[in-house]
Amino acid sequence: MTNEHLSNSTIFPLGKKVESNFIGDAYLEMIFTDETPLNTSIGNVTFAPGARNNWHSHAVGQVLLVTGGEGWFQEEGKPAQLLKTGDVVNIPPNVKHWHGATVDSWFVHLAMTPGQTKWLEPVNDEWYNAL
Amino acid sequence: MTNEHLSNSTIFPLGKKVESNFIGDAYLEMIFTDETPLNTSIGNVTFAPGARNNWHSHAVGQVLLVTGGEGWFQEEGKPAQLLKTGDVVNIPPNVKHWHGATVDSWFVHLAMTPGQTKWLEPVNDEWYNAL
């Protein structure tokens, strides 16, 4: 879509461009990093159209809250799921997956990640463009 | 403001009207209740203009993420703070406080509450109207 679309979907700060483990333009702002009372930090992740993170897994899992736009979530061996504003995803521990924008929409989600993340290979253009 | 304002600020479902411990029209939808991987559930709370919850405290604390509109947060003995879209509040354990909409704006926040809540007396009109 357009930057207007992004503007409409931006609630929390855009933050800084992510420099590794992503393809395309993606941005991260950590909006909660206190040690208490949650067992997790909270990051606001914004993907430009076509941007996506590499395949990865989380040692403890991750919860995504979609706050704007449309994107993809895919676990290895399963079809990609289209995510829209208001969707909530509970990603199990140690499941290889990726998430990112659709080819023509910005995509914004909050990410709550209680444990460590293991980064793997990129979601290459051949894979992504076949969605 | 108007219902248009509410529409613009609604990302997660409105849910059902809250029947106790609030003054005015407020709505709650629990958007995350799984036992893992977070130590908290997540509720989407929507306050009509003028609505607010009673004074209360949380045994473990609470984190608020403001996703729409404008509202008040006040700890006992301190001035009320005006909250706007994008604000994040970390409420300490066992601190008596309340939150709610301003008199002329809808107010929407996510609430993450790892422990129990102790409900106290209402924020009466005399107090609220003096803000």
Side-chain angles (χ1 to χ4, degrees):
Chain A
M1 305 267 179
T2 63
N3 278 323
E4 181 186 351
H5 185 102
L6 173 64
S7 171
N8 288 338
S9 66
T10 297
I11 298 167
F12 301 101
L14 188 67
K16 293 185 178 174
K17 189 172 173 185
V18 181
E19 298 294 350
S20 57
N21 300 313
F22 282 63
I23 286 179
D25 291 339
Y27 303 85
L28 171 66
E29 172 82 6
M30 295 306 300
I31 66 167
F32 185 82
T33 57
D34 295 351
E35 292 196 357
T36 59
L38 306 180
N39 68 343
T40 183
S41 59
I42 305 173
N44 185 45
V45 188
T46 303
F47 302 80
R52 66 271 190 185
N53 51 32
N54 290 0
W55 290 97
H56 62 285
S57 63
H58 306 286
V60 184
Q62 184 179 59
V63 176
L64 304 179
L65 306 182
V66 180
T67 60
E70 295 189 1
W72 295 110
F73 165 70
Q74 185 172 34
E75 296 183 7
E76 189 177 41
K78 297 185 180 180
Q81 299 176 47
L82 183 64
L83 299 182
K84 299 187 178 185
T85 302
D87 283 344
V88 176
V89 184
N90 186 346
I91 304 171
N94 302 312
V95 167
K96 184 176 172 180
H97 68 281
W98 66 274
H99 25 121
T102 61
V103 71
D104 61 359
S105 176
W106 288 79
F107 180 53
V108 189
H109 66 55
L110 297 176
M112 289 173 275
T113 317
Q116 295 300 309
T117 297
K118 181 182 180 183
W119 289 103
L120 303 164
E121 72 278 13
V123 176
N124 62 35
D125 286 346
E126 185 178 0
W127 183 277
Y128 180 80
N129 292 332
L131 289 175
Chain B
M1 306 269 180
T2 63
N3 277 324
E4 181 186 353
H5 184 104
L6 173 64
S7 172
N8 288 338
S9 66
T10 297
I11 297 166
F12 301 101
L14 188 66
K16 294 186 178 175
K17 189 173 172 184
V18 181
E19 298 294 349
S20 57
N21 300 312
F22 282 63
I23 286 179
D25 291 339
Y27 303 85
L28 172 65
E29 172 83 4
M30 296 306 301
I31 66 167
F32 185 82
T33 57
D34 295 352
E35 292 194 358
T36 58
L38 306 180
N39 68 344
T40 183
S41 58
I42 305 174
N44 184 46
V45 188
T46 303
F47 302 81
R52 66 273 190 183
N53 52 31
N54 291 359
W55 291 97
H56 62 284
S57 64
H58 305 286
V60 184
Q62 184 178 59
V63 176
L64 304 180
L65 306 182
V66 180
T67 59
E70 294 190 2
W72 296 110
F73 166 71
Q74 184 172 33
E75 296 183 5
E76 189 178 40
K78 296 185 180 178
Q81 299 177 48
L82 184 63
L83 299 182
K84 298 186 180 186
T85 301
D87 283 344
V88 176
V89 184
N90 186 345
I91 303 170
N94 301 313
V95 168
K96 184 176 171 180
H97 68 279
W98 67 273
H99 25 121
T102 61
V103 71
D104 61 359
S105 175
W106 288 79
F107 180 54
V108 189
H109 65 56
L110 297 176
M112 289 172 276
T113 317
Q116 295 301 307
T117 297
K118 180 182 180 183
W119 289 102
L120 303 164
E121 71 277 12
V123 176
N124 62 36
D125 286 347
E126 185 179 0
W127 183 278
Y128 181 80
N129 293 331
L131 289 173

